Structure formats: C-alpha cells, structure tokens
Amino acid sequence: MRFPPPTHRLLGFAGPKREAEEIKSKIRTFLRDELKLELSESKTLITHAASQAAHFLGYEIRVQHADTKITRQRRAVNGAIGLFVPRQVIRQKCALYMSKGKPAQRGPLLHDEDFTIVAKYQAEFRGLVQYYLLAQDVFRLGRLQWVMETSMLKTLAGKHRSTVTKMSRKYKNTIETPDGPRRCIQVTVPRDEGKKPLVARFGGISLKRQRTAVLTDVRPVMASMKRNELIHRLLAECCEICGTRTNLEVHHVRKLADLNRPGRRERPAWVHLMAMRRRKTLVICRRCHEDIHAGRPTAPLRK
C-alpha cells in the first residue's frame, strides 16, 4: 500500500485481500485520530503482487516467477520481489527526443558548442540510468540510449550541415571501463598553458544492475543543465562570436524580451545569436564585449 507525500511507504503483506482491507482501515483510523492526517484513497492501493505491478517512486514492483531459472537445484527466483523499469517510463523518455516516431534533432541546441551538446545528452542519460540501477531490467534503457544518441548525432549534423554518419565517424571512440571496453561519442576540447583538455562523452555507461546502489527518494528528472551550462561554456575558453580564446568575459541582458525591443532598425549578429539560443548570456572576448557596448559591429560570427 502507498501513502501520499511527504512520506512514501510500501507495505508487503502475505494473506487474503480481506485482511489487507482491514489493515488499511486500521491505518486510516490511526492517521486520522492520532496524527490528524487523511489517507488518500486514490493513492493508497492494494495490489496483488503476483498478477499486478505496484508503481512506487518510478519503479515497478512485482513478484517474480521463472520455472526455468534453477539455482542450487531449486527455483530461486519464484516468489522473490523484483524492481523493474516501467515500459511507460522508457516510452515517455524516448518521446522527448523523437518527432513523428523517429529520433529528431533538438533545435534549441543547434547553436551550442559540440562539447555542450554532448555533455547535456550525457547528463540526462546518466541521471536516468543511475536512478534505475536497482532494476532487474535496467538493460532496457539501451533503447533510450540509441534514441538519444541518434537525436544527438542529428543535432550535431544539423548544426554542421553534415550527416549522422559523418558526425559518428568524427566523434566515435572506445573507452575502458570496469566492465570492459565501451563505445561512446566523445568530444575533446584542447586547452592552452598545459591544462588538461575538456572531455564530454555520451555512452560508456554500463547498463548492468547494481544491487548495492544507493538512491535518493526522488523521482527521476531529465537534467536541464541550466545551472552548469554557463560553467561548461566558460571552461571551453572560446569566444562565441569570433572564436578568440583569450580575455573571455560574459555579456548578459536583463531579459530576452530586451532583444526584441521596438525601434531597433537592424539587430546585430550577437542579438540574433542570443535570440536563437534563447539565452541571456554570451561568453565573448574583451574586444567583442567592448564592441557590443559601444554599438559597433562585432567580428563575423564563426562558422
């Protein structure tokens, strides 16, 4: 049975449904009389674990049954409680990266750096995988990985006016992991003055169940990267207008509506760039920053 937030509980009971109803009634009375709380009937359900799945904190919980799996001369799986990734979750997450039934590019990312695009996709995928590491069938997220990788490659191809195949060939890589070599998409940004290069990669994550994984009591969310995105752009050490790698600063406007103020005859290139990215910040060099504040034309946008 499930209780509404702020407290989540799942109660297992072996016995007839009539006794389960009696227990639920006693819990309702205790909460009302002792704690002055109301039990939500729509959220507190009685589920038969052998024939139905209980949905709890994003997981599917049900009793397992497999007569063909023999361990130490007995059917060790039968009757054991298992955690599973809901099929609906996989469909919903895949839909975020699809259009008309196929993986599609993400328009708002077309004007980002390749490093930032790959880092965003990886952060979103890693967050979901880490949440479902306790699931028996975490490997089913391989479908989501393929959809996200194809969407990411299409986004990169759209940005560079290239093809998915060429982007895959350009950035494909193989890395060593505790579970052996894994294929991934990797973008490396070299830096000067002996600094280590910045590396963003998508993939290379094992979709293998971890029985000892520790999870927080929150529902999984897709990372927006809004908080860390500016940091990634600063670390890339590259002017987003002319490509200069020295004396970088951040130009920002109070709100996006300021970019479309009436009375401006022709919007400068940097205004178009911020409007297309839907961002209030630009990482630029000192020279471009001075040109913007002086009302002078900036250097041509790099391709």
Side-chain angles (χ1 to χ4, degrees):
M1 291 185 286
R2 294 176 290 176
F3 298 89
T7 301
H8 298 79
R9 293 291 184 269
L10 186 69
L11 175 63
F13 169 73
K17 184 176 181 179
R18 175 181 56 80
E19 291 187 27
E21 295 282 2
E22 292 177 0
I23 294 173
K24 177 180 176 181
S25 177
K26 291 180 179 179
I27 292 175
R28 182 191 303 107
T29 302
F30 173 79
L31 291 175
R32 183 184 64 246
D33 297 343
E34 301 295 332
L35 302 180
K36 309 304 179 183
L37 297 175
E38 290 296 329
L39 191 68
S40 173
E41 295 295 335
S42 62
K43 296 180 180 179
T44 308
L45 308 176
I46 296 177
T47 304
H48 190 271
S51 59
Q52 297 174 287
H55 295 269
F56 188 69
L57 296 178
Y59 275 87
E60 251 184 25
I61 304 175
R62 61 176 182 266
V63 172
Q64 302 178 80
H65 184 89
D67 292 335
T68 58
K69 188 173 179 61
I70 307 298
T71 303
R72 297 179 181 177
Q73 298 182 347
R74 70 185 187 91
R75 299 182 180 91
V77 173
N78 288 358
I81 301 297
L83 303 178
F84 300 89
V85 183
R87 304 294 180 90
Q88 183 180 4
V89 168
I90 299 177
R91 289 194 297 268
Q92 289 175 345
K93 299 305 180 184
C94 285
L96 297 175
Y97 306 93
M98 301 176 72
S99 177
K100 298 180 180 179
K102 297 181 180 180
Q105 68 179 23
R106 294 167 71 178
L109 302 184
L110 288 176
H111 303 283
D112 282 354
E113 298 292 332
D114 293 3
F115 174 87
T116 304
I117 293 173
V118 175
K120 284 185 177 182
Y121 273 89
Q122 180 75 335
E124 294 173 357
F125 183 63
R126 182 191 291 114
L128 200 68
V129 171
Q130 289 178 341
Y131 188 82
Y132 284 108
L133 283 178
L134 290 175
Q136 307 277 83
D137 57 349
V138 65
F139 63 87
R140 295 190 185 280
L141 292 178
R143 164 67 178 174
L144 175 62
Q145 181 176 359
W146 175 83
V147 170
M148 291 183 66
E149 181 175 316
T150 305
S151 170
M152 180 184 67
L153 290 173
K154 285 187 175 182
T155 302
L156 292 170
K159 173 187 174 181
H160 295 287
R161 299 182 180 180
S162 182
T163 66
V164 168
T165 302
K166 290 181 179 179
M167 289 294 100
S168 178
R169 288 174 180 171
K170 179 179 180 180
Y171 290 129
K172 68 179 179 180
N173 195 15
T174 302
I175 61 173
E176 290 295 331
T177 72
D179 297 302
R182 290 287 186 273
R183 186 186 66 83
C184 66
I185 300 297
Q186 179 172 300
V187 175
T188 303
V189 179
R191 297 197 290 175
D192 299 330
E193 301 178 0
K195 297 179 181 178
K196 292 184 178 180
L198 296 175
V199 177
R201 62 172 61 100
F202 180 85
I205 300 177
S206 174
L207 297 181
K208 183 179 180 180
R209 181 192 180 197
Q210 295 184 16
R211 297 174 181 269
T212 58
V214 178
L215 309 180
T216 54
D217 187 16
V218 295
R219 299 182 68 86
V221 296
M222 303 304 283
S224 66
M225 293 289 289
K226 289 182 180 179
R227 179 175 300 175
N228 297 325
E229 186 239 355
L230 180 58
I231 297 176
H232 282 299
R233 289 159 58 198
L234 283 169
L235 287 174
E237 297 182 346
C238 182
C239 175
E240 295 175 342
I241 292 181
C242 67
T244 301
R245 292 185 172 274
T246 57
N247 299 324
L248 295 180
E249 302 174 355
V250 178
H251 174 72
H252 54 85
V253 296
R254 186 170 61 89
K255 54 184 179 180
L256 289 176
D258 291 342
L259 300 177
N260 298 311
R261 285 180 301 178
R264 178 174 283 164
R265 295 181 180 179
E266 183 179 354
R267 297 192 300 175
W270 65 269
V271 173
H272 282 285
L273 182 60
M274 296 183 78
M276 288 187 296
R277 291 185 170 187
R278 297 179 183 175
R279 292 187 179 87
K280 296 186 288 186
T281 60
L282 270 181
V283 176
I284 53 179
C285 64
R286 180 64 182 174
R287 186 186 65 179
C288 290
H289 205 177
E290 291 177 348
D291 289 341
I292 289 176
H293 283 287
R296 297 189 295 265
T298 58
L301 292 178
R302 59 196 177 89
K303 301 298 183 180

